[in-house]
Amino acid sequence: MLTLLCVVMVGCTTVKHQPLPTHTLSTIKASSITHTLREKPDFLAASAGKAILGFVGAVAMISAGNTIIRENNVPDPANYISENLVSQLAKKYQLTLTDNRHKITTEEDVAKLAEQYSEADLVLDIDSILWGYQYYKRNPSYYYMLYNAKIQLINTPSKQVLAEGLCSYKQDDFSTALTLDQLLANDAEQFKLEFQKAAEYCLDYFSKKVLRLQP
């Protein structure tokens, strides 16, 4: 929660943009890859009433958001992105996929991540550092979606980051805006669809702009 409050209130997340060099994976002769599994992150449910309360309001927005995510079983977009990218990397570089189903991490330190997933030569880490919804100032009864994710590709033997970057998704077309009731209807069907769009957007961005798997 502290990380999300930092991002929300003062914008304190800085991620270096470091695309994967063309011949790096051939040079280090990696033969296996896995990806991290992370605990579902805090969700920001921004509302006009809570926004005026500063830090206390931010805490309340996160509490309300986590309730929505839990009650509607909304998946973390990072899992979808990770599974697809690790499959693309394995196919392109002929890497063996290593099972990670029993490892859940909250780690941010690269060296510790490398140790935790040391059974593979490479570990792909996708971290949802901000997800939530925001109200429109012109009409606070309608909302748009926010999603930021960080990517790191780590060489576990050397504990080095080979590539990293940040994806930012913001769906704020007022012509398609919905109320919270509309977003959460039918087990949050529209809500889940909007974050699937965010996942697809960041999957494409990371694949092209960071890992260089597509032209």
Side-chain angles (χ1 to χ4, degrees):
M1 181 179 287
L2 290 176
T3 299
L4 182 53
L5 286 174
C6 185
V7 173
V8 171
M9 300 193 72
V10 297
C12 57
T13 296
T14 301
V15 179
K16 180 181 177 181
H17 182 68
Q18 178 185 334
L20 182 67
T22 307
H23 302 295
T24 295
L25 295 192
S26 300
T27 302
I28 64 174
K29 298 180 179 178
S31 62
S32 58
I33 188 169
T34 191
H35 67 87
T36 60
L37 288 174
R38 290 191 168 274
E39 291 186 353
K40 193 172 289 187
D42 291 318
F43 185 93
L44 179 74
S47 65
K50 293 184 177 70
I52 63 174
L53 300 176
F55 182 87
V56 173
V59 172
M61 288 189 283
I62 292 171
S63 178
N66 288 345
T67 298
I68 289 172
I69 296 303
R70 182 178 63 255
E71 291 181 349
N72 294 282
N73 195 27
V74 181
D76 178 4
N79 294 333
Y80 176 84
I81 299 167
S82 295
E83 289 171 2
N84 279 273
L85 286 177
V86 81
S87 294
Q88 291 181 30
L89 284 162
K91 182 177 180 180
K92 180 170 182 176
Y93 293 102
Q94 299 181 323
L95 302 168
T96 300
L97 287 171
T98 302
D99 182 22
N100 68 342
R101 286 176 292 178
H102 304 294
K103 292 192 175 183
I104 298 177
T105 189
T106 58
E107 223 16 281
E108 299 297 333
D109 182 78
V110 170
K112 291 180 180 178
L113 278 173
E115 291 172 3
Q116 187 173 359
Y117 292 90
S118 61
E119 71 277 5
D121 298 319
L122 301 169
V123 57
L124 179 71
D125 179 40
I126 306 293
D127 189 4
S128 296
I129 58 176
L130 170 64
W131 67 326
Y133 60 72
Q134 177 66 275
Y135 61 92
Y136 284 93
K137 292 182 179 179
R138 71 178 82 175
N139 190 334
S141 297
Y142 289 83
Y143 297 86
Y144 61 91
M145 303 299 154
L146 301 168
Y147 181 68
N148 287 0
K150 178 178 70 175
I151 184 174
Q152 295 182 108
L153 181 63
I154 301 167
N155 180 20
T156 60
S158 67
K159 299 180 174 60
Q160 289 184 314
V161 175
L162 304 178
E164 64 180 309
L166 176 71
C167 171
S168 296
Y169 174 87
K170 180 180 179 180
Q171 179 276 313
D172 64 349
D173 181 0
F174 189 72
S175 67
T176 61
L178 299 173
T179 66
L180 188 57
D181 285 343
Q182 290 172 324
L183 286 166
L184 297 181
N186 300 319
D187 295 320
E189 180 181 8
Q190 190 63 36
F191 194 88
K192 293 171 183 175
L193 178 60
E194 292 299 331
F195 280 102
Q196 181 60 32
K197 292 178 183 177
E200 295 287 358
Y201 176 87
C202 287
L203 170 61
D204 184 68
Y205 178 84
F206 287 148
S207 180
K208 291 177 179 177
K209 303 299 184 181
V210 180
L211 299 178
R212 293 176 170 171
L213 293 165
Q214 303 179 51

